Amino acid sequence: MTPVQTIRENHTAYPSRDHADATDLMAQMGVRMTFAKDEEIYGQDEDADLIYRVVSGSVRTSRVLSDGRRQIGGFYVAGDMFGFENGAAHTFSAEAITQVKVLLIKRSVLASLAARDRTVAEQLLALVGRELARTQEHVMLLVKTAQERVAGFLLEMADRIQAHDEVDLPMSRQDIADYLGLTIETVSRTLTHLENSAAIALRTSRRIVLRNRGALHRLNS
Amino acid sequence: MTPVQTIRENHTAYPSRDHADATDLMAQMGVRMTFAKDEEIYGQDEDADLIYRVVSGSVRTSRVLSDGRRQIGGFYVAGDMFGFENGAAHTFSAEAITQVKVLLIKRSVLASLAARDRTVAEQLLALVGRELARTQEHVMLLVKTAQERVAGFLLEMADRIQAHDEVDLPMSRQDIADYLGLTIETVSRTLTHLENSAAIALRTSRRIVLRNRGALHRLNS
DNA sequence: CGACACTTTGACGCACTTCAAAGGGGGTGG
DNA sequence: CCACCCCCTTTGAAGTGCGTCAAAGTGTCG
């Protein structure tokens, strides 16, 4: 485990207290699993009886429509939790974007812990609340122009990956396109355009430098 | 209060049990308030310290971008709860679409009840989970074609309002357009087109008959 | 009955998609 | 270590679905 990952894992772990912390609980009680790139972590319509936490690597959740179109629900990086959905079955599937290490815990275990421990219950609620907020932001992105969507996506990723101004995207253009409701060509063209207007620089196709955050924010309305 | 509303209110009220029910709690402890059409229930950036339940009428939540574009986050009809957002402040505002009667309860009251009563905590979690699922469906709508969005919207509303096959929409074309990320002209044209293809009938502009649910579902992919 | 707001319809323009082909860039085998 | 290959990305050209601008139709409330 690299130092960077250790830091990231600790940032949600509170020092010591009477009540248990969901993150700590997972570290103590959770099972560790590894998934190879593009491997499915869980499938659409499978039982949603596990909660996951990303230790390293990146994960995407997605849903495929009957005509083959794919929509990506979200991306999850080290420290993020995923897998909680409302009903008994998943309505999205989850796949590893890169090689991924996760911790997983049974939902029922977490639920019974939450029943006895108030702080666990509160954290669970906060977690779902955060996921709701993320999804609402996703909605806001999807009604904007291509430039605004791509700019918003870059800013979101820069925040999440905690990169200063240089983001190393773990996902392909196709993943980005399916997240933003655009085609790969439009994503590519938009990135080129942002580079030409000096808002970003493309080191490689996946490594992007945010040259002018202000300009990106302005595009994000 | 009409019989229809009485039935709708009861469908989430469990008979009698040891633990308190959030819906019952609101009926017992909640404060009743009335809002006129287009009146603001709460504003963006206001403290999110109240939880609401629609008794009658319809509510929309919305966010306005700096350039004036408005995005509607969701519609809420009798029986629906709204107002829970992740942070301390609302990121959406809520307005009455029609005259609206709501019950409201302090979030802190609900939280302290949840701390003592397991079922309240579970219901709170389920409520946020349902809101998350709704928002995810919203995301799925926004990446589709205009026809699919409008068809999906009609099916969603028919479900929510519990109308057999004739839906009385409480919201304007502008509200629909801002929910679906389209213009009023496109919404109007699409409805006309759906009528011409015998999928729906427009009794009046707000009263729509679903003539062919299969066709609408097919459009919904 | 007339005024006003909302909805529908029409004509045109543009942003994004589609179809097509030409770059890279990373990994493997020789 | 180089060369080749495959896949991902970029770029180009043409098509189209939705937006924009404009005006007519419709329902409602004073």
Side-chain angles (χ1 to χ4, degrees):
Chain A
M1 191 178 294
T2 71
V4 172
Q5 283 164 356
T6 307
I7 290 163
R8 201 164 294 140
E9 281 175 32
N10 287 340
H11 92 288
T12 48
Y14 302 99
S16 73
R17 46 155 80 194
D18 292 344
H19 294 284
D21 180 276
T23 305
D24 290 344
L25 283 171
M26 289 203 67
Q28 289 160 27
M29 310 182 55
V31 175
R32 206 189 197 80
M33 275 193 78
T34 300
F35 292 89
K37 187 178 141 109
D38 289 327
E39 200 176 344
E40 181 177 281
I41 298 173
Y42 57 76
Q44 205 171 325
D45 300 326
E46 272 183 25
D47 280 356
D49 57 350
L50 295 172
I51 303 283
Y52 301 79
R53 179 154 166 275
V54 180
V55 174
S56 67
S58 304
V59 173
R60 65 170 174 255
T61 57
S62 66
R63 198 189 285 183
V64 177
L65 299 178
S66 50
D67 64 354
R69 279 176 297 179
R70 184 185 69 156
Q71 177 59 35
I72 286 184
F75 297 110
Y76 301 88
V77 300
D80 290 340
M81 311 244 333
F82 67 97
F84 22 67
E85 287 190 58
N86 187 34
H90 286 293
T91 61
F92 285 81
S93 69
E95 300 107 35
I97 292 179
T98 59
Q99 199 201 52
V100 166
K101 289 192 207 304
V102 297
L103 283 171
L104 48 88
I105 192 168
K106 273 202 169 178
R107 177 194 278 267
S108 58
V109 171
L110 214 51
S112 65
L113 283 171
R116 286 185 288 116
D117 190 324
R118 174 180 172 168
T119 54
V120 174
E122 283 170 357
Q123 284 174 19
L124 217 50
L125 191 62
L127 232 41
V128 179
R130 231 170 291 153
E131 194 63 17
L132 174 58
R134 218 204 290 287
T135 309
Q136 285 172 338
E137 290 305 321
H138 195 180
V139 164
M140 294 308 293
L141 266 192
L142 291 178
V143 298
K144 299 182 181 176
T145 65
Q147 277 212 21
E148 293 170 328
R149 293 188 214 193
V150 172
F153 169 78
L154 290 176
L155 290 171
E156 182 193 345
M157 283 302 137
D159 271 7
R160 305 260 311 268
I161 302 182
Q162 287 290 32
H164 175 59
D165 267 340
E166 187 158 343
V167 191
D168 203 347
L169 300 174
M171 73 289 286
S172 69
R173 293 286 185 271
Q174 189 63 64
D175 286 339
I176 299 173
D178 290 347
Y179 178 70
L180 297 178
L182 299 170
T183 59
I184 46 172
E185 293 95 330
T186 299
V187 171
S188 182
R189 272 187 261 266
T190 304
L191 286 170
T192 307
H193 182 251
L194 287 176
E195 183 168 38
N196 291 338
S197 54
I200 63 169
L202 292 159
R203 286 269 182 121
T204 71
S205 69
R206 302 236 175 160
R207 181 165 280 274
I208 297 179
V209 183
L210 308 188
R211 287 207 174 287
N212 190 343
R213 279 182 120 97
L216 292 175
H217 264 115
R218 241 166 289 130
L219 278 177
N220 205 233
S221 277
Chain B
M1 191 178 295
T2 72
V4 172
Q5 283 166 355
T6 307
I7 290 164
R8 200 166 296 140
E9 282 178 30
N10 287 340
H11 92 288
T12 48
Y14 304 98
S16 72
R17 45 156 78 196
D18 290 346
H19 293 285
D21 180 276
T23 304
D24 290 344
L25 282 171
M26 288 202 69
Q28 289 160 27
M29 311 182 54
V31 176
R32 205 188 197 81
M33 275 192 78
T34 301
F35 292 89
K37 185 177 144 122
D38 289 327
E39 199 176 343
E40 181 175 280
I41 298 173
Y42 57 75
Q44 204 171 326
D45 301 325
E46 272 183 23
D47 281 356
D49 57 351
L50 295 171
I51 303 283
Y52 302 79
R53 178 154 165 275
V54 179
V55 173
S56 68
S58 304
V59 173
R60 66 171 174 255
T61 57
S62 66
R63 198 190 286 184
V64 176
L65 299 178
S66 51
D67 63 354
R69 281 177 295 179
R70 183 185 68 156
Q71 177 59 34
I72 286 184
F75 297 111
Y76 301 87
V77 299
D80 291 339
M81 310 241 336
F82 67 96
F84 23 66
E85 286 190 60
N86 187 35
H90 286 292
T91 60
F92 285 81
S93 68
E95 302 106 35
I97 292 179
T98 59
Q99 199 202 53
V100 166
K101 288 189 207 306
V102 297
L103 283 171
L104 49 88
I105 192 169
K106 272 202 168 177
R107 178 193 279 266
S108 57
V109 171
L110 214 51
S112 64
L113 284 170
R116 285 187 288 118
D117 190 326
R118 176 180 170 167
T119 56
V120 174
E122 283 170 358
Q123 285 174 18
L124 217 51
L125 191 62
L127 232 40
V128 179
R130 231 170 291 152
E131 194 63 18
L132 174 60
R134 216 201 297 282
T135 309
Q136 285 172 338
E137 290 306 321
H138 195 181
V139 165
M140 294 308 293
L141 267 191
L142 291 178
V143 298
K144 299 183 181 176
T145 65
Q147 277 211 22
E148 293 169 328
R149 293 188 215 192
V150 172
F153 169 78
L154 291 176
L155 290 170
E156 182 193 344
M157 284 302 138
D159 272 8
R160 304 260 313 266
I161 303 183
Q162 288 288 32
H164 174 58
D165 267 342
E166 187 159 343
V167 191
D168 202 348
L169 298 174
M171 71 289 287
S172 69
R173 292 285 184 273
Q174 189 63 62
D175 286 339
I176 299 173
D178 289 347
Y179 178 68
L180 297 177
L182 300 170
T183 60
I184 46 173
E185 292 95 330
T186 299
V187 171
S188 182
R189 270 187 262 267
T190 305
L191 286 169
T192 307
H193 182 252
L194 288 175
E195 183 168 38
N196 290 339
S197 54
I200 63 170
L202 291 159
R203 287 267 180 121
T204 72
S205 69
R206 302 238 177 158
R207 181 166 280 274
I208 297 179
V209 184
L210 308 189
R211 287 207 174 285
N212 190 343
R213 279 182 119 98
L216 292 175
H217 264 114
R218 240 166 290 130
L219 279 177
N220 205 232
S221 276

